[in-house]
Amino acid sequence: MINEVVKVHDKFSVEIKMGYEPSKDRKVNEFSVKTWLFVPSSLDINPSTYKKEDFYNDFNSNIRLITPPYLLREIALGDQSVFKYLEDSFQKVANYSTPKNEANYEYHIRMFHTILRSALRREIQHILRNEQAEDRQYLIKDYLNNVRKIGERYRELRRIVNVPTVRKEMFDYFLFGDEFMSNQFDEHSYYLHRGLRKVNDPEIDKCKEEILSLVRDEVAYKKSKNYLVVEEKPTDKNRWFVHRRGAFKKYFEGQLLLSFRKKKEGVFMIQVLYSIAAGLAMIIGAALTFVFQQSLGSFTIPLFVALVIIYMLKDRIKDLSRHYLVGKINKRFFDHKSIIRVKGDEKIGWCKESFDFVREDSVPLRVMKHRNRSRIVDVESRGVGEKIIFYRKLLRLDQKALDNSYGNYNITGVVDIIRFNVSRFIQKMDNPEIPLYYLKDDQFEKTAGEKVYFMNMVIRFKLDDQTSYRRYRIIFNRRGIKKVEKV
């Protein structure tokens, strides 16, 4: 199964998050994703101005494991929850502080906070989607109880590792987790409180106050431990708070990040084709030399001129042959192949990707139907048309290796997080505001209209015999991305 989420990441970047969940009854799963980007010709994006290197610099991809799915109440109250793994690792590092036990201790701390963050996010989304007042009240109270219980249980583990046998560096990992957890409680409680602002219900108002009480308690706790908190006015402390929050997020979520070694595909075949092109040019050059020697004789000026011309032709024949043969073979090969590894050395699959500009007549009819170009676009692009970027990715996962990758934690698949930066696409855009005039009381008044551009993206997903299509529209101008909408 392939799931996708496309949204605005920042002012100039679109985030495309694709989750690949392999089938448990198959040893090997292959996922195919093809993407067509329809770029307005007025942006002057074409093979001459936008090279492969430019695309791969703008199209940044990170592959990580899908966070193991746990309910918030399962973390708080479950007998065999992640707290069991966490406590066992704490006891081992306190009793026998070996490099292996220290690595296991750090690993479980990082996994715990990654799982907790994901569970908090899903819980808040579920509460805000729920429209039944009674259910919503129960879910909010359950959320508050579970959060307090999780905070208490994690902080009780401090006594296990606050011993002379545990190095300060190891103890700091516990403190980092404590600070990160408290920030997560604050952040997600804020999202919940903000999402409930439009709900007018006395019982929900009581829940809002309980949410605020939780946040107040966490802020007081952080101050007691000398953790940074958000100040009312912008200060250096707020700058450091943002820096530490970002560093902690990368550190804990990096536990699920997969390493991959990227290499160019088809290097050997390209060298073979270069040799064939050189051999072909040599055969033609030698044949022509033999013919001219027979007709012009040896050591004559006409023969000398003919040999120079033959050499020039041979050189051009070799280059043209190389260009033709490599162009043909590149359509069969991908640009890159990346071996995906977990924990640095265990291979769980590979990923291939390629980029190119394509003509409209080479785009499948089904894709063009999803593109569903309007008449105004036809009129606008008549004579020049849209430029079409074609990006394809093929991902293969070994189910057995994936199941064995993280032991007791249930890993269901991998997620590919792509950040597509559109900064290069805005360089030839017009001014973002256009003056407009309207009639008011028999007088012309001036106002402004926003100039925007539309870039359409059609994605085709394929797994086994199942194929599906999605279309998204990126609306942006010189000031940045305005909106990404699913069409």
Side-chain angles (χ1 to χ4, degrees):
M1 184 171 65
I2 305 176
N3 302 310
E4 95 287 348
V5 176
V6 182
K7 63 181 182 179
V8 178
H9 176 255
D10 58 36
K11 190 175 181 180
F12 294 104
S13 296
V14 176
E15 181 177 278
I16 306 168
K17 185 180 290 187
M18 297 185 186
Y20 304 94
E21 297 186 31
S23 174
K24 295 291 184 181
D25 57 357
R26 294 177 64 90
K27 183 179 179 181
V28 175
N29 288 263
E30 278 195 1
F31 304 88
S32 172
V33 179
K34 293 183 178 181
T35 304
W36 289 265
L37 276 172
F38 296 84
V39 185
S41 295
S42 57
L43 301 185
D44 195 29
I45 299 295
N46 55 61
S48 299
T49 61
Y50 197 64
K51 307 293 185 183
K52 282 184 184 290
E53 295 79 11
D54 298 328
F55 175 79
Y56 286 114
N57 284 332
D58 294 340
F59 217 75
N60 184 35
S61 174
N62 285 308
I63 300 177
R64 66 171 178 83
L65 298 172
I66 293 176
T67 306
Y70 282 83
L71 295 173
L72 199 62
R73 68 186 181 201
E74 189 179 1
I75 299 174
L77 306 172
D79 294 333
Q80 296 298 321
S81 74
V82 286
F83 269 114
K84 182 69 170 69
Y85 310 139
L86 200 61
E87 186 173 354
D88 288 346
S89 68
F90 276 43
Q91 294 286 2
K92 287 179 182 178
V93 78
N95 296 331
Y96 307 100
S97 189
T98 63
K100 181 179 179 181
N101 285 342
E102 287 182 346
N104 187 56
Y105 160 82
E106 183 184 2
Y107 158 72
H108 282 292
I109 288 178
R110 295 174 73 182
M111 286 295 294
F112 171 81
H113 290 291
T114 300
I115 291 170
L116 175 60
R117 185 173 187 270
S118 179
L120 285 167
R121 183 179 65 251
R122 289 197 304 270
E123 191 77 13
I124 298 302
Q125 291 172 349
H126 178 65
I127 293 173
L128 296 179
R129 283 197 302 262
N130 204 294
E131 296 180 355
Q132 294 293 327
E134 187 177 347
D135 289 347
R136 183 181 285 162
Q137 294 167 25
Y138 164 77
L139 290 170
I140 294 172
K141 291 179 180 179
D142 195 46
Y143 162 80
L144 294 168
N145 291 334
N146 289 330
V147 164
R148 291 188 181 277
K149 183 64 177 178
I150 290 169
E152 290 172 4
R153 290 188 68 178
Y154 183 82
R155 288 157 187 165
E156 286 173 359
L157 297 176
R158 179 189 184 103
R159 300 168 185 170
I160 300 176
V161 290
N162 191 13
V163 293
T165 53
V166 175
R167 295 187 294 120
K168 182 181 182 304
E169 180 185 350
M170 293 294 107
F171 187 67
D172 283 344
Y173 293 139
F174 168 82
L175 297 179
F176 292 159
D178 189 27
E179 183 177 352
F180 180 72
M181 178 180 67
S182 188
N183 289 337
Q184 291 303 307
F185 290 163
D186 284 357
E187 183 178 333
H188 286 86
S189 296
Y190 163 73
Y191 292 147
L192 176 58
H193 191 273
R194 186 181 66 176
L196 296 172
R197 284 182 303 181
K198 297 181 180 179
V199 180
N200 295 318
D201 185 330
E203 293 298 323
I204 293 297
D205 290 339
K206 293 179 184 178
C207 293
K208 291 178 186 177
E209 183 55 38
E210 291 180 21
I211 294 170
L212 294 177
S213 177
L214 170 66
V215 174
R216 292 189 197 102
D217 292 343
E218 287 300 319
V219 171
Y221 174 79
K222 284 190 284 189
K223 289 181 177 179
S224 71
K225 298 299 180 183
N226 292 322
Y227 299 154
L228 289 176
V229 297
V230 179
E231 302 286 347
E232 183 177 354
K233 295 182 179 179
T235 62
D236 287 344
K237 287 186 177 180
N238 282 355
R239 186 183 300 121
W240 278 109
F241 178 88
V242 172
H243 174 74
R244 286 177 70 85
R245 185 177 66 175
F248 287 150
K249 182 176 181 292
K250 289 181 181 178
Y251 170 70
F252 289 109
E253 292 194 348
Q255 179 62 47
L256 295 175
L257 197 63
L258 299 173
S259 63
F260 50 91
R261 300 169 188 171
K262 184 179 290 188
K263 62 180 182 179
K264 189 173 179 60
E265 194 183 28
V267 174
F268 175 76
M269 183 58 68
I270 288 175
Q271 295 302 319
V272 171
L273 294 178
Y274 284 171
S275 300
I276 292 173
L280 180 63
M282 187 64 192
I283 290 171
I284 296 174
L288 290 174
T289 300
F290 178 77
V291 171
F292 279 110
Q293 275 188 332
Q294 292 294 320
S295 60
L296 299 177
S298 301
F299 308 111
T300 62
I301 292 179
L303 178 62
F304 175 77
V305 174
L307 290 175
V308 172
I309 295 173
I310 290 170
Y311 179 81
M312 293 165 59
L313 288 173
K314 181 177 76 68
D315 192 53
R316 291 302 88 211
I317 290 171
K318 182 176 72 171
D319 284 348
L320 288 172
S321 300
R322 286 173 58 176
H323 180 76
Y324 176 78
L325 293 173
V326 171
K328 289 293 184 182
I329 202 68
N330 278 342
K331 294 179 180 180
R332 302 179 63 86
F333 283 96
F334 289 77
D335 294 333
H336 306 114
K337 180 179 180 180
S338 302
I339 305 300
I340 304 173
R341 300 180 185 277
V342 64
K343 298 179 181 177
D345 55 359
E346 186 178 346
K347 178 181 175 182
I348 64 169
W350 51 252
C351 173
K352 297 180 180 181
E353 57 183 348
S354 69
F355 152 87
D356 208 348
F357 283 90
V358 296
R359 299 192 311 272
E360 185 175 315
D361 56 12
S362 68
V363 178
L365 183 60
R366 184 84 179 269
V367 174
M368 293 305 299
K369 286 183 178 179
H370 279 82
R371 166 64 186 89
N372 192 24
R373 185 181 293 153
S374 66
R375 288 294 300 161
I376 188 65
V377 174
D378 279 337
V379 171
E380 181 185 21
S381 60
R382 182 163 294 174
V384 289
E386 293 176 305
K387 294 295 183 285
I388 304 174
I389 292 175
F390 178 48
Y391 172 73
R392 57 184 177 141
K393 175 171 283 188
L394 187 63
L395 180 73
R396 174 178 289 185
L397 293 175
D398 186 323
Q399 182 60 50
K400 184 177 180 181
L402 190 63
D403 289 339
N404 296 333
S405 59
Y406 273 77
N408 296 322
Y409 297 104
N410 180 26
I411 302 296
T412 59
V414 303
V415 59
D416 185 11
I417 303 174
I418 298 169
R419 304 272 169 76
F420 179 41
N421 190 286
V422 299
S423 298
R424 298 179 201 267
F425 290 68
I426 69 174
Q427 297 174 6
K428 301 293 180 70
M429 286 184 175
D430 293 335
N431 289 330
E433 285 189 359
I434 304 296
L436 298 174
Y437 301 90
Y438 65 98
L439 194 62
K440 181 179 180 181
D441 298 329
D442 296 330
Q443 296 291 328
F444 284 102
E445 298 289 340
K446 183 179 179 181
T447 185
E450 191 175 35
K451 171 73 172 178
V452 296
Y453 296 79
F454 301 91
M455 182 163 60
N456 284 269
M457 178 170 61
V458 178
I459 308 175
R460 193 199 77 169
F461 304 98
K462 186 175 182 180
L463 173 61
D464 298 330
D465 296 329
Q466 299 179 352
T467 303
S468 59
Y469 293 82
R470 303 283 190 278
R471 178 189 167 197
Y472 292 89
R473 182 187 294 124
I474 303 170
I475 305 171
F476 62 132
N477 62 14
R478 192 184 289 180
R479 289 179 179 153
I481 299 171
K482 299 298 178 182
K483 188 179 181 182
V484 175
E485 56 186 16
K486 190 174 182 179
V487 184

